[in-house]
């Protein structure tokens, strides 16, 4: 059972546009949501994260919007750049358990110049 | 600063042969350690995690085993490789003590023929 779902699976935007990647989850105990960025042949890198006590987290061009009631979150990448082309993974965990991070299937973003 | 190193970078092995992959964390004492497997273009599947030396928990059975012989070292191994073991193996660490953010290593690419 996929506990974390991502959509779309792939997305293409033009340089300068805003890319929106969506994520939803099933487990109501999840309270920590990191997003990872992965380039081909490399390990995932933590991009930005949010806890369930917040409804928004911003870091430069990257913003997470979180809706606890609907169990949904989204990653907005403003002013997208070709260097942002990568696969983005949404993940979720119950903070403090220290053991399991559940990942979505990933979303491949392509930014065309 | 913490650094994570994985070895080897890549392996090509025959079906039925043994395998040993390694991971070392420097700059952090008593981290939580994790092994993940990623199929090409796929999501990240957690295989094992360890919160202390000598203690390893299995998350998914894939005819693999893991050990933590030292505080900063995590080993993934099997005596007989299967074709299905091909993929990208990632080691990750987290600070532990209710800090669940996981940081990934560069990965090891494995091809089983």
């Amino acid at each position: 059972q996929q506990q974390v779902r991502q959509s779309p699976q792939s997305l293409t935007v033009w340089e300068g546009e805003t890319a929106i990647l969506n994520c939803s989850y099933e487990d109501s105990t999840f309270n920590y949501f990191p997003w990872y960025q992965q380039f081909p042949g490399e390990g995932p890198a933590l991009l930005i994260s949010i806890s369930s006590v917040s409804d928004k987290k911003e870091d430069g061009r990257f913003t997470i919007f979180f809706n606890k009631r609907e169990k949904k979150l989204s990653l907005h990448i403003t002013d997208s750049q070709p260097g942002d082309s990568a696969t983005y993974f949404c993940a979720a965990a119950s903070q403090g358990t220290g053991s399991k991070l559940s990942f979505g299937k990933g979303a491949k973003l392509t930014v065309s110049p | 600063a913490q650094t994570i190193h994985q070895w080897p970078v890549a392996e090509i092995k025959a079906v039925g042969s043994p395998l040993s992959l390694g991971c070392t964390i420097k700059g952090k004492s008593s981290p939580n350690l994790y092994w993940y497997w990623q199929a090409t273009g796929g999501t990240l599947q957690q295989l094992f995690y360890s919160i202390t030396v000598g203690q390893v928990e299995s998350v998914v059975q894939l005819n693999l085993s893991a050990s933590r012989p030292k505080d900063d070292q995590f080993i993934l191994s099997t005596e007989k490789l299967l074709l299905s073991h091909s993929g990208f193996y990632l080691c990750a660490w987290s600070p532990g003590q209710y800090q669940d953010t996981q940081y990934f290593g560069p990965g090891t690419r494995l091809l089983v023929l």
Side-chain angles (χ1 to χ4, degrees):
Chain A
Q1 181 182 358
Q2 189 71 23
Q3 295 209 42
V4 178
R5 291 186 171 85
Q6 290 187 242
S7 64
Q9 290 184 327
S10 63
L11 177 67
T12 299
V13 299
W14 294 106
E15 183 175 356
E17 292 186 332
T18 296
I20 300 175
L21 306 178
N22 300 303
C23 180
S24 64
Y25 61 97
E26 299 289 329
D27 192 336
S28 58
T29 67
F30 286 157
N31 55 13
Y32 171 66
F33 305 91
W35 284 84
Y36 288 86
Q37 179 188 56
Q38 185 178 30
F39 295 105
E42 298 182 8
L46 179 67
L47 184 64
I48 186 172
S49 64
I50 193 169
S51 68
S52 59
V53 298
S54 303
D55 55 14
K56 181 181 177 181
K57 177 79 172 289
E58 191 171 351
D59 185 357
R61 297 185 294 108
F62 302 92
T63 303
I64 299 175
F65 293 93
F66 177 65
N67 185 322
K68 187 175 182 178
R69 183 179 61 83
E70 295 187 6
K71 297 181 184 175
K72 292 181 178 179
L73 55 160
S74 60
L75 174 68
H76 291 227
I77 305 173
T78 58
D79 188 24
S80 296
Q81 302 296 310
D84 296 331
S85 298
T87 298
Y88 293 82
F89 290 95
C90 173
S94 301
Q95 188 85 359
T97 60
S99 62
K100 185 163 177 63
L101 198 57
S102 296
F103 282 84
K105 291 187 176 182
K108 185 174 181 180
L109 173 67
T110 302
V111 181
S112 299
Chain B
Q2 299 82 15
T3 59
I4 178 169
H5 175 61
Q6 288 189 242
W7 74 91
V9 172
E11 280 266 46
I12 299 176
K13 304 279 280 186
V15 170
S17 63
L19 174 76
S20 181
L21 304 180
C23 171
T24 298
I25 316 298
K26 295 300 182 186
K28 174 62 182 171
S29 62
S30 304
N32 289 352
L33 297 176
Y34 311 85
W35 277 113
Y36 286 83
W37 175 79
Q38 184 179 33
T40 301
T43 189
L44 294 110
Q45 173 65 62
Q46 188 175 341
L47 302 175
F48 299 94
Y49 72 93
S50 171
I51 61 174
T52 191
V53 174
Q55 183 177 331
V56 177
E57 300 295 329
S58 174
V59 177
V60 174
Q61 292 294 334
L62 287 179
N63 293 307
L64 296 167
S65 61
S67 64
R68 186 170 178 176
K70 301 178 183 178
D71 185 54
D72 63 351
Q73 196 174 82
F74 208 17
I75 306 296
L76 183 70
S77 60
T78 183
E79 293 187 358
K80 282 189 176 183
L81 278 166
L82 307 173
L83 286 173
S84 58
H85 285 138
S86 293
F88 198 37
Y89 288 84
L90 292 151
C91 180
W93 70 275
S94 68
Q97 296 182 336
Y98 299 100
Q99 299 295 315
D100 291 324
T101 300
Q102 293 186 23
Y103 302 92
F104 287 83
T108 294
R109 178 74 59 188
L110 174 67
L111 178 61
V112 182
L113 300 174

